[in-house]
Amino acid sequence: MNKQTNSDLAIEARALVKRYSAEVLAVDRVDLCIQANTIYALLGPNGAGKTTTISMLTTLLKPTSGSARVAGFDVVQQAARVRQRIGVTFQEMVLDDELTGRDVLDYHGRLYGQSRAERQTRAAELLALVELQDAADRQARTYSGGMKRRLELARALMTTPQVLFLDEPTLGLDPQTRTRIWEYIRNLKEQSGLTVLMTTHYMDEAEALADRAGIIDLGHLVIEGTPGELIAQMGADTIRIVGRGERDTFVAQIRALPFAQTVTTGEDVIQIGVDSGSRRLVEVASLATTSNFVIEDVSMTKPSLGDVFLKYTGHQLRDTASPVSPNGASIWIRK
Amino acid sequence: MTATITLWSKHMKKFLANPMEMFGLAIQPILWVVLYGVGMKSMMSPAMPGTGNTYITFMVPGIVALSALGGAVGGGSVWLTERLRGIVKEYLVAPIPRLSVLMGNALSTMTKSLFQAVVILVVGVLMGARLAPNPLGWLGGMALVAAFGLGFSGIALGMASSTDNPGVYHSMIMLLNLPLLFLSNALYPLESLPTWMRIGASINPTSYVIDGIRQMMLQDGAAMTGGKVLPLWLCFGVVAAFAALGMAMAYKAFRRSVK
């Protein structure tokens, strides 16, 4: 099952477009090339087009234009073959929770045509992997949110997929559960040669897991690279300044500084990427007085993926729903 | 086919694991037999004209049809729940034909209808209804109930595909419930009705199921209506057409809702 097809790209999307209506362009010419046996994180604010992209790659939605291949097969022309080779967890909880955990896995395996013996072995393995053995024969509605998420992960793995799609796999989970899920995903990639495409809001998740990350905003893939590369281009250190006064003048002056590699402005934060924070801090601060800007708070950090995100999307990482696309869930439940 | 059976078996498992659902669906028709049936029986002369039957025997086929309807409603709401909770997406990313999702639902819905019908027959017999001593007739009657259940599953699934609101779904279904029962030969012989009601009843497929069941499954079924019964071929024909129509409706709505 894990044997690779001729190409070593597990996911290959070319100029993928999804337009829901004349006004709503959810995904706008996205190109994605994801190597087999890597973890790729798709980052972006709500409504950026992450779920729509995943929906097209998992054959749930037909692209308006462009093409995509998953596990070597075209998502439109060869949808059935793609479906046999992928595992999916959805952004919202999708569980028949009147069934026991074991039954959820069993019925899933049956849908994919697995034999009884195969299903039993596989379910036992996976229940052990996600540490649900003790709860396996209880109705899933008695599970906590984290247990349900783990069961969903097990279900996605039930048919030993080549490519795993995880849409916000740790949304709303406590830190311990998140760390556990990260471990499962990391081990799976290493042990079974799996390719994972995940979306997330959490930058730490992408930093911890992803081999490569792409930032998507307003339907465009704005930048991609390894988390290390993305962070490196922000400069060695980041100086963050919060204050009030002639902000525009101040920012303009900073931009003119030769050592300011990047300057990003958020709603109330100014971020400056510099070669060395401790050396440049004083110079930056001294500019404030000449431009009538009062610094209220200043801090210095090593840049993180969050800073990269801020630079490219201009959004802070909070739940600001963009009006660009409807949320993923409602696409499926149309009147 | 495998996928259809898988979904059917999953729905049945959930149905059997949830006695409240079964009970909830069965209680209304049971009350019809027990309360209405007994009440009417004591008001009317003890035996139906020309037979040794009581009113209970007369009305049981109608309530069997009503309970099949209840089963269909239950099946439709299972589908609505699966849509609203996104479980449908699990099916849609699986390598199974789209149609098997609908077929699995229709099959489990029909099974629930049959199950309800059997419960009502048993209750009816306990209350004094007399069955014809002909197992072939019982099979024929059950075939009618199954086809009727399938037709109604289609309508219920179609409605469940075209609304996102469980309240709307249930009130749409309820709207159908009463006219289908009263505008039929379920509770009174067609002969005794004014013309406008008789016309209404004769375009109501429920009348054909009931007439068929009455003739085939119950003791002196034809005699109870004074010998004025619809030909059996017509009963089967109308009910089969109804089943086909219901499924076509479900298919259309289903295609729209899952694309």
Side-chain angles (χ1 to χ4, degrees):
Chain A
M1 285 289 271
N2 288 321
K3 211 169 58 194
Q4 280 309 312
T5 41
N6 45 19
S7 154
D8 60 350
L9 286 181
I11 298 174
E12 189 184 1
R14 299 281 174 214
L16 212 51
V17 173
K18 184 67 196 184
R19 182 182 281 285
Y20 288 113
S21 65
E23 308 85 54
V24 184
L25 181 60
V27 171
D28 189 9
R29 283 164 314 197
V30 164
D31 291 305
L32 269 184
C33 285
I34 300 177
Q35 299 286 324
N37 198 16
T38 57
I39 300 179
Y40 189 101
L42 204 51
L43 312 172
N46 282 345
K50 302 186 299 280
T51 299
T52 304
T53 304
I54 285 216
S55 297
M56 287 190 281
L57 295 175
T58 55
T59 77
L60 278 174
L61 273 183
K62 277 204 175 66
T64 308
S65 67
S67 68
R69 297 178 86 78
V70 171
F73 295 100
D74 187 278
V75 294
V76 178
Q77 310 298 332
Q78 297 165 304
R81 293 189 168 178
V82 171
R83 288 176 190 142
Q84 274 159 5
R85 290 165 176 80
I86 61 174
V88 186
T89 68
F90 305 98
Q91 189 168 342
E92 68 283 11
M93 204 75 78
V94 170
L95 259 190
D96 229 331
D97 59 9
E98 289 154 57
L99 297 173
T100 66
R102 199 184 301 280
D103 282 342
V104 165
L105 300 184
D106 192 68
Y107 278 114
H108 188 78
R110 274 175 78 172
L111 277 183
Y112 285 72
Q114 288 181 313
S115 72
R116 179 186 294 266
E118 211 177 340
R119 294 191 319 257
Q120 282 172 351
T121 331
R122 191 76 186 134
E125 275 170 28
L126 287 169
L127 287 165
L129 173 76
V130 299
E131 297 160 275
L132 283 176
Q133 304 102 308
D134 296 339
D137 297 305
R138 249 168 48 204
Q139 282 191 338
R141 66 171 157 206
T142 63
Y143 291 12
S144 68
M147 291 164 82
K148 286 182 178 169
R149 262 310 196 212
R150 274 144 57 200
L151 180 60
E152 285 187 319
L153 185 62
R155 183 181 62 194
L157 293 167
M158 184 69 189
T159 49
T160 326
Q162 288 175 33
V163 184
L164 186 62
F165 293 89
L166 306 173
D167 199 354
E168 304 279 355
T170 64
L171 195 67
L173 299 183
D174 63 52
Q176 288 92 330
T177 314
R178 290 180 65 204
T179 322
R180 289 315 280 232
I181 289 188
W182 294 355
E183 273 171 38
Y184 304 145
I185 298 175
R186 216 179 280 127
N187 291 341
L188 282 164
K189 181 205 127 186
E190 272 151 29
Q191 288 159 16
S192 53
L194 199 64
T195 308
V196 181
L197 172 57
M198 58 189 281
T199 70
T200 183
H201 275 99
Y202 302 120
M203 294 302 129
D204 56 339
E205 188 157 283
E207 279 191 66
L209 277 179
D211 299 306
R212 284 180 80 77
I215 295 176
I216 190 169
D217 192 28
L218 306 173
H220 292 282
L221 191 64
V222 285
I223 183 142
E224 68 167 358
T226 66
E229 286 166 7
L230 294 180
I231 293 167
Q233 50 126 355
M234 293 299 290
D237 284 326
T238 299
I239 299 173
R240 289 167 192 264
I241 294 173
V242 177
R244 61 193 151 77
E246 301 281 327
R247 196 166 109 132
D248 294 343
T249 329
F250 181 52
V251 170
Q253 282 183 321
I254 297 171
R255 284 195 207 276
L257 293 172
F259 57 79
Q261 296 165 348
T262 60
V263 181
T264 341
T265 53
E267 236 162 71
D268 38 33
V269 189
I270 303 166
Q271 289 195 150
I272 310 143
V274 295
D275 47 2
S276 162
S278 46
R279 269 185 32 221
R280 306 298 186 185
L281 182 60
V282 184
E283 292 179 60
V284 171
S286 67
L287 279 180
T289 30
T290 63
S291 59
N292 265 334
F293 185 79
V294 183
I295 295 179
E296 289 170 333
D297 187 50
V298 66
S299 62
M300 226 169 55
T301 47
K302 296 276 169 203
S304 69
L305 210 48
D307 301 320
V308 183
F309 187 89
L310 182 62
K311 176 181 169 192
Y312 283 98
T313 66
H315 301 276
Q316 271 286 12
L317 279 184
R318 59 175 91 101
D319 276 356
T320 45
S322 142
V324 173
S325 90
N327 73 56
S330 66
I331 297 165
W332 299 106
I333 302 156
R334 302 198 318 176
K335 298 229 175 213
Chain B
M1 198 59 202
T2 326
T4 303
I5 300 291
T6 302
L7 293 181
W8 172 81
S9 120
K10 178 166 114 173
H11 290 151
M12 291 331 288
K13 182 159 204 160
K14 281 163 67 178
F15 181 64
L16 296 173
N18 193 352
M20 278 313 286
E21 188 194 343
M22 284 194 276
F23 186 72
L25 287 177
I27 192 74
Q28 202 195 5
I30 289 177
L31 287 179
W32 268 101
V33 177
V34 175
L35 298 179
Y36 185 80
V38 173
M40 287 300 281
K41 182 180 111 185
S42 52
M43 188 185 88
M44 292 163 77
S45 54
M48 297 295 288
T51 69
N53 289 344
T54 62
Y55 181 69
I56 301 272
T57 311
F58 180 83
M59 77 172 294
V60 154
I63 308 304
V64 165
L66 182 71
S67 65
L69 206 150
V73 175
S77 65
V78 166
W79 169 239
L80 184 59
T81 312
E82 288 196 340
R83 280 182 57 233
L84 295 184
R85 293 180 48 198
I87 294 169
V88 175
K89 287 200 274 181
E90 188 199 337
Y91 306 150
L92 295 184
V93 295
I96 58 172
R98 294 292 188 259
L99 197 57
S100 66
V101 179
L102 177 67
M103 295 309 291
N105 269 286
L107 205 61
S108 61
T109 305
M110 186 187 86
T111 312
K112 289 177 195 179
S113 293
L114 269 179
F115 175 83
Q116 298 288 322
V118 171
V119 170
I120 293 307
L121 271 179
V122 171
V123 172
V125 169
L126 290 177
M127 299 300 297
R130 297 198 301 158
L131 290 184
N134 177 6
L136 264 181
W138 301 355
L139 273 182
M142 280 298 142
L144 276 181
V145 172
F148 183 68
L150 199 63
F152 246 101
S153 308
I155 292 177
L157 293 173
M159 285 183 173
S161 299
S162 41
T163 178
D164 288 349
N165 183 333
V168 169
Y169 167 75
H170 282 283
S171 51
M172 281 199 294
I173 292 282
M174 274 329 203
L175 212 63
L176 284 174
N177 202 332
L178 284 184
L180 281 174
L181 178 69
F182 285 109
L183 207 55
S184 78
N185 53 1
L187 304 174
Y188 18 74
L190 275 186
E191 288 309 302
S192 57
L193 298 178
T195 319
W196 67 270
M197 265 185 91
R198 211 181 311 164
I199 293 170
S202 56
I203 55 172
N204 179 356
T206 321
S207 299
Y208 297 84
V209 186
I210 294 172
D211 217 64
I213 296 176
R214 214 171 257 155
Q215 293 173 58
M216 291 185 290
M217 296 183 83
L218 294 164
Q219 183 71 38
D220 300 324
M224 278 190 295
T225 54
K228 296 213 172 57
V229 288
L230 299 160
L232 274 182
W233 64 265
L234 187 64
C235 294
F236 277 101
V238 168
V239 175
F242 174 69
L245 193 77
M247 288 315 297
M249 190 182 144
Y251 181 64
K252 230 180 126 192
F254 172 81
R255 287 292 298 259
R256 241 196 345 262
S257 73
V258 302
K259 281 177 288 185

